[in-house]
Amino acid sequence: MFRHLWGLLLAEATARAAWPNGPFVTSGRAMTDASGTTVTYVGVNWPAAADTMLPDGLQYQSVSSIVSKIKSLDMNVVRLTYAIQMVDEIEGNGGDDIPIQTAFTTALGQENGTAVYNQVVANNPSFGANTTRLQVFDAVANECAKQEIYIHLDNHVSKAGWCCTPIDGNSWWGDIYFSTANWTRGLSYMADHGKQWANLMSMSLRNELRQPFLDENLFAQSYNWQDWYKYTKQGADAIHKANPDVLIFLSGLDSDTSLNPVVQGTDLTPGTAKFNRDEFQAYSNKLVLELHNYANILGGSGVNNCTALQDDLFNDGFQSLSDDAPNQFPLVMTEFGFVQDATTWNETFARCLESYIPAQGAGWTIWVIAGSYYVREGKQDYDESWGLLTHDWSDWRSPEHINGGLIPMIKASLHGKGFGNSSGNNSSGTGNEESEALLRYEGGMRLTVLVTFVFASSCLILWL
Ligand SMILES: *[C@@H]1O[C@H](CO)[C@@H](O)[C@H](O)[C@H]1NC(C)=O
Ligand SMILES: *[C@@H]1O[C@H](CO)[C@@H](O)[C@H](O)[C@H]1NC(C)=O
Ligand SMILES: *[C@@H]1O[C@H](CO)[C@@H](O)[C@H](O)[C@H]1NC(C)=O
Ligand SMILES: *[C@@H]1O[C@H](CO)[C@@H](O)[C@H](O)[C@H]1NC(C)=O
Ligand SMILES: *[C@@H]1O[C@H](CO)[C@@H](O)[C@H](O)[C@H]1NC(C)=O
Ligand SMILES: *[C@@H]1O[C@H](CO)[C@@H](O)[C@H](O)[C@H]1NC(C)=O
Ligand SMILES: *[C@@H]1O[C@H](CO)[C@@H](O)[C@H](O)[C@H]1NC(C)=O
Ligand SMILES: *[C@@H]1O[C@H](CO)[C@@H](O)[C@H](O)[C@H]1NC(C)=O
């Protein structure tokens, strides 16, 4: 009896000490921890890939208070973005990162950069004159680990800045700023650096691949699934070689709204090869798909037909979660979002996504925690109306959304009846009753790849 109790206590202690219990692997459509328990990502994006190449918000709050806000929702992951340019600068500087003070003054100018730096240090007294950018990444990762939140590290851009258009030079391998060699070097560097973080569970290859409209030949000759596959294998190999523990997220074409031939096992055109897990030698159980969706691609016109939206999502990638998918993978909706006002969350698009995603057992990270950015598109202290937090990152911007939409979504993902709930273990893919009721939405406009293309085309016309 005594021995038994002691054993139980030991097991309990081990289970606690074992968080995050990695490395994670995949099994069919599930991500699982080292003991085979399904892990469903439920979290938020924290941008750190824009001009300063630093996690946003620290001139207003401490790292720990921001992480505590995330934790208060019961979220379990942060999608932390970074720019390849950060690694390029380190490599170009004999392996040394630059101090954050320099990063701020370079991006914001001497006067404002110094003022923002002083505010950052006032809120985060452990930072100082010698703190480097990567040390701030380390601080974010370590605080997340302390509060038992996983890190998913996302290569957002090559040249640091706001993302993503087809004319920003960051769109596709070979685009002005998107050197394939710098990219694989950057992925390796970050994969290796992240080994010291207890909670780095996964990394992406590249955010929102899209049409390279600044280079007609590149667009015509390379923007296709065949080249996607070639580069995807190079990036995945680079990450795996540097850090064999992390899951690797593959993202699709058309700003990551399409993963069609990967899921369906059809030709990777213009070639005839098909996606083949065996070509990801020794880590075929490390691959996860990621997908994005936004209603505002056409400038806020919105989507008001949930059935149509679900059909699109299914065809674009969610099919990977179904029983009869030719290629099953876990899938994480790493970006979706909308204005954080009192009502948008209760309109069809948001309601539809926030019910459909958990019901399918997909993971997700909403865009975005940031109430403001150090700088976005040239404007300093940019207010982010889509941010979960207010401008000064102190409170929820839309308590209506947090309580009416987001918390129910988190609960549905973590405790619903979808297969993401390992004790439920129900493969029907249906969610809780709340989700099912929310799914009964109808309406008009379809969001398709065509929309992305129309958007891209209008950019091209503007550019011409
Ligand atoms: C510097 O900050 C002030 C506000 O504190 C702002 O008005 C100004 O536009 C900023 N300078 C630049 C170059 O953005
Ligand atoms: C920063 O580094 C320099 C050179 O290594 C050192 O002299 C200085 O004391 C450090 N400053 C702080 C605040 O740690
Ligand atoms: C690649 O990195 C080097 C520094 O190692 C840098 O000089 C070069 O500009 C980068 N290439 C691109 C396309 O950004
Ligand atoms: C959400 O919208 C529905 C109408 O679609 C309305 O009946 C309901 O009261 C709204 N809920 C909240 C909390 O605003
Ligand atoms: C899983 O689903 C079952 C049945 O719906 C529920 O009782 C249980 O609380 C869920 N598990 C978790 C971890 O929430
Ligand atoms: C639970 O899920 C696992 C993995 O998908 C499967 O092998 C097992 O058969 C399922 N068990 C039940 C009772 O459905
Ligand atoms: C799985 O869910 C479906 C639909 O909610 C239900 O009919 C079925 O009984 C469930 N199966 C198990 C094993 O819980
Ligand atoms: C919504 O989309 C579905 C599927 O495309 C379609 O069958 C239905 O007619 C649409 N509803 C409305 C009101 O347009």
Side-chain angles (χ1 to χ4, degrees):
M1 173 68 186
F2 203 75
R3 261 181 72 182
H4 182 62
L5 236 181
W6 183 236
L8 276 179
L9 283 173
L10 247 177
E12 171 76 12
T14 312
R16 282 175 179 280
W19 188 93
N21 201 9
F24 291 173
V25 293
T26 68
S27 164
R29 59 197 170 174
M31 283 167 35
T32 75
D33 67 14
S35 41
T37 302
T38 300
V39 177
T40 305
Y41 272 180
V42 172
V44 69
N45 282 272
W46 189 343
D51 313 41
T52 62
M53 293 170 254
L54 282 164
D56 268 295
L58 304 177
Q59 84 275 45
Y60 289 119
Q61 302 294 331
S62 66
V63 169
S64 69
S65 71
I66 296 168
V67 174
S68 297
K69 292 298 281 184
I70 295 169
K71 185 68 182 180
S72 74
L73 296 177
D74 232 2
M75 284 178 163
N76 63 16
V77 67
V78 162
R79 180 175 183 251
L80 185 60
T81 74
Y82 70 93
I84 294 293
Q85 186 185 339
M86 176 169 69
V87 178
D88 289 347
E89 288 175 359
I90 293 169
E91 298 285 2
N93 191 34
D96 291 330
D97 195 4
I98 61 168
I100 60 172
Q101 186 161 16
T102 310
F104 279 119
T105 54
T106 302
L108 309 177
Q110 193 62 37
E111 194 181 335
N112 285 7
T114 303
V116 169
Y117 164 77
N118 287 333
Q119 287 173 293
V120 168
V121 173
N123 286 316
N124 297 272
S126 66
F127 299 157
N130 291 345
T131 303
T132 63
R133 293 173 299 186
L134 275 178
Q135 285 171 342
V136 176
F137 277 77
D138 295 345
V140 168
N142 291 337
E143 181 62 31
C144 284
K146 202 169 134 197
Q147 302 203 31
E148 301 199 346
I149 292 174
Y150 311 120
I151 296 290
H152 168 74
L153 196 49
D154 168 61
N155 173 222
H156 212 63
V157 288
S158 288
K159 180 181 165 55
W162 179 251
C163 191
C164 303
T165 76
I167 55 167
D168 62 10
N170 271 326
S171 66
W172 186 258
W173 296 278
D175 203 353
I176 298 175
Y177 304 117
F178 193 166
S179 145
T180 304
N182 288 29
W183 172 69
T184 48
R185 181 180 68 179
L187 294 176
S188 301
Y189 187 97
M190 293 304 285
D192 181 58
H193 182 84
K195 280 185 197 164
Q196 63 190 277
W197 304 345
N199 53 344
L200 177 67
M201 312 316 287
S202 54
M203 288 178 66
S204 80
L205 292 180
R206 182 69 166 201
N207 181 62
E208 298 199 359
L209 296 159
R210 55 199 176 274
Q211 301 83 350
F213 274 179
L214 292 183
D215 185 337
E216 213 177 300
N217 286 334
L218 183 68
F219 182 26
Q221 283 156 28
S222 179
Y223 185 72
N224 57 51
W225 286 106
Q226 185 177 330
D227 275 16
W228 173 89
Y229 196 44
K230 176 176 82 183
Y231 295 121
T232 287
K233 282 187 286 190
Q234 287 178 24
D237 280 345
I239 290 178
H240 183 74
K241 207 169 153 202
N243 183 341
D245 284 349
V246 293
L247 295 175
I248 298 171
F249 281 34
L250 314 184
S251 66
L253 262 55
D254 298 320
S255 306
D256 198 15
T257 60
S258 169
L259 288 156
N260 228 289
V262 183
V263 176
Q264 292 178 358
T266 51
D267 291 354
L268 295 159
T269 54
T272 54
K274 294 172 177 53
F275 189 93
N276 179 0
R277 253 180 245 268
D278 296 342
E279 291 179 43
F280 295 80
Q281 285 253 328
Y283 62 97
S284 58
N285 66 341
K286 287 284 189 182
L287 306 178
V288 175
L289 301 184
E290 64 172 318
L291 202 67
H292 290 184
N293 203 302
Y294 287 111
N296 72 334
I297 287 173
L298 274 184
S301 52
V303 172
N304 52 19
N305 183 336
C306 187
T307 308
L309 178 58
Q310 287 172 42
D311 288 351
D312 282 342
L313 289 171
F314 184 85
N315 291 327
D316 292 343
F318 273 75
Q319 187 183 355
S320 70
L321 298 166
S322 68
D323 284 328
D324 54 1
N327 285 329
Q328 273 195 343
F329 293 94
L331 183 136
V332 179
M333 192 87 169
T334 48
E335 282 191 32
F336 66 96
F338 42 85
V339 173
Q340 298 295 307
D341 57 15
T343 55
T344 303
W345 67 274
N346 194 29
E347 289 164 11
T348 302
F349 176 74
R351 280 288 197 181
C352 187
L353 281 180
E354 292 194 340
S355 57
Y356 181 76
I357 296 168
Q360 304 310 305
W364 52 274
T365 52
I366 192 171
W367 187 271
V368 60
I369 192 69
S372 55
Y373 304 109
Y374 301 125
V375 56
R376 167 174 157 181
E377 297 166 293
K379 186 171 163 29
Q380 295 190 12
D381 198 24
Y382 187 106
D383 187 61
E384 176 52 281
S385 60
W386 290 32
L388 295 186
L389 292 172
T390 49
H391 189 93
D392 68 0
W393 294 57
S394 65
D395 210 347
W396 304 122
R397 191 178 280 262
S398 169
E400 296 88 351
H401 172 228
I402 297 294
N403 294 311
L406 199 62
I407 288 175
M409 183 189 193
I410 292 164
K411 291 202 163 113
S413 281
L414 296 177
H415 310 300
K417 279 191 254 163
F419 73 87
N421 173 347
S422 53
S423 58
N425 202 33
N426 192 326
S427 63
S428 69
T430 54
N432 59 17
E433 281 149 36
E434 201 175 327
S435 296
E436 282 161 29
L438 292 174
L439 284 174
R440 296 186 206 106
Y441 270 77
E442 286 284 305
M445 195 188 123
R446 291 174 66 88
L447 179 74
T448 65
V449 169
L450 185 66
V451 173
T452 313
F453 194 76
V454 169
F455 165 72
S457 303
S458 56
C459 285
L460 181 62
I461 288 161
L462 273 178
W463 174 66
L464 294 171

